[in-house]
Amino acid sequence: MNGTTMNGKAMNPLRNDCFALPPGVNWTPVEEALERLRSRLHPVVGVDRFVSLSQVSGRILASDVYAPRAHPPSSNSAVDGYAFAGPLTEVPCALPLVEDRSAAGEPYMGHVPEGHAIRILTGAVIPAGTDTVVLEEDCEVMDGHLHLNGTLKAGANSRKAGEDIKAQDRILTAGTCLTPTQISVLASVGVESVDVYQRLRVGVLSTGDEVKPVGSVVTDWQIYDANRPMLSALVAQLGYELVDLGHVLDRAEDVKAALERGAEQCDLILTSGGISAGDEDHVSKTLKAHGEISNWRIAIKPGRPLALAMFQGTPVVGLPGNPVAAWVCALRFGAPAMALLAGGEWFEPQGYVTPANFSKNKKPGRSEMLRARVRNGQVEVFGSEGSGRVTGLAWSEGLVELDESAQQIEPGTPVRFIPYGSFGL
């Protein structure tokens, strides 16, 4: 990898057989499918060198970053008060004051004599000869002396040089997606620019004779395309570069032409619909005829069919056509896969256990992902599990994940809720 590209494509392509399942494997449990996917992917994008901090928000670090200097660079005061050499054990006492002060940006350059104190402000460098600061509220100044009536340990109310970051510490690792707080860390030690991966280019393609783009004239037997706007928004919100490959009819030549465009322009292609084994499932037929495809039958509801393929050197993730199934598979499988291809870290979405506010008799054999949200400390699920019920997508704020085992869930039963934010949204 290392930023080497040709015609805009990274020169470290995935193997054509990287998605192949072992012989005899039919149904694949979710966790096993995720681990297989993780083990067979790697970054496929090039690297942009020395990108200014003003341009790296949302970008992924391509190399580790080491601190060029310490933070803080010198010991400084955490409060407004008076600095002296601690500890303070014999009280009450009065310390003569040096007729000067140390302020942030205007340090006292002299040496405070033993047994003396000096005025100091928050953020100011601790003067030589001192190491401890007393809050101004805890003391009294009279007749040029600092009067103290309470003990204080050495180093109190001071920040030590390098206590946060030492010079040459590794402060961020390759694969980190840069957020405002991480950019703050870089700036705090004077890092001006970093190496970042180029943005993953993700193509989104919809298929189907019954599907029409929004704005089209439709008949009663046609539906508007919900998947392409949904998946496009997902790609954009995850921080990748969207390539809109449009909508094509169930025609082999049209599907092939769209995939060829995607292979030229994209690092990854997301398709929806046409991935099963029916007469008009031309996405899977085209990938079989002109690429390498593995139809994974994932033990998940909604979902199940998931096509993972290589087409002219570009990975293709074929999602189910029903919007809810497409959404669940795009989050559970597509989001971590895209993160890894983009140079980031594969992630397992973080959920938390909370009481259910619903009843369900779950059969064994498949994991289930229920559209859900939390209200008053309990998880409620959408009233219908139908994978075409798009209203449940807007209603939900996350997913309840139930494993493959048989389960009897009643109100109060602990369940795992995964908020959409755990997928990077």
Side-chain angles (χ1 to χ4, degrees), residues 33-162:
L34 288 168
E35 182 53 37
R36 284 180 178 164
L37 194 57
R38 176 181 184 176
S39 67
R40 300 173 192 196
L41 298 178
H42 57 71
V44 296
V45 290
V47 174
D48 291 330
R49 304 288 185 186
F50 308 114
V51 181
S52 167
L53 291 194
S54 64
Q55 304 295 320
V56 297
S57 181
R59 302 289 293 272
I60 298 173
L61 271 180
S63 56
D64 295 349
V65 181
Y66 295 84
R69 75 169 190 166
H71 182 263
S74 57
S75 297
N76 65 88
S77 178
V79 298
D80 288 346
Y82 297 86
F84 55 91
L88 181 63
T89 57
E90 297 180 5
V91 291
C93 68
L95 303 179
L97 279 173
V98 173
E99 292 185 1
D100 208 330
R101 70 172 192 174
S102 185
E106 296 180 4
Y108 177 71
M109 304 305 293
H111 186 283
V112 177
E114 184 178 355
H116 286 60
I118 186 171
R119 176 66 169 159
I120 192 167
L121 303 182
T122 302
V125 171
I126 302 288
T130 71
D131 60 9
T132 303
V133 179
V134 61
L135 280 74
E136 60 180 285
E137 301 94 321
D138 295 341
C139 55
E140 185 178 6
V141 175
M142 288 190 307
D143 301 325
H145 285 72
L146 179 70
H147 294 266
L148 301 167
N149 196 34
T151 60
L152 207 61
K153 66 181 181 180
N157 300 313
S158 67
R159 309 182 184 108
K160 304 303 181 186

Side-chain angles (χ1 to χ4, degrees), residues 216-266:
S216 303
V217 176
V218 295
T219 63
D220 289 344
W221 59 85
Q222 294 174 320
I223 59 174
Y224 286 118
D225 184 357
N227 285 346
R228 184 158 58 98
M230 175 183 70
L231 296 173
S232 296
L234 173 64
V235 168
Q237 194 163 346
L238 291 175
Y240 308 126
E241 182 180 334
L242 172 67
V243 180
D244 187 357
L245 297 176
H247 163 266
V248 296
L249 299 175
D250 290 322
R251 307 288 186 270
E253 60 274 17
D254 293 345
V255 172
K256 182 173 181 289
L259 290 173
E260 287 174 341
R261 291 198 312 274
E264 291 177 358
Q265 303 174 38
C266 307

Side-chain angles (χ1 to χ4, degrees), residues 399-413:
L399 301 168
V400 164
E401 184 176 53
L402 306 176
D403 63 26
E404 291 89 348
S405 64
Q407 299 180 48
Q408 181 64 49
I409 298 171
E410 302 294 345
T413 301

Side-chain angles (χ1 to χ4, degrees), residues 67-71 161-171 189:
R69 75 169 190 166
H71 182 263
E163 69 175 18
D164 186 16
I165 301 169
K166 293 180 174 59
Q168 301 308 311
D169 274 356
R170 183 171 62 179
I171 53 175
V189 291

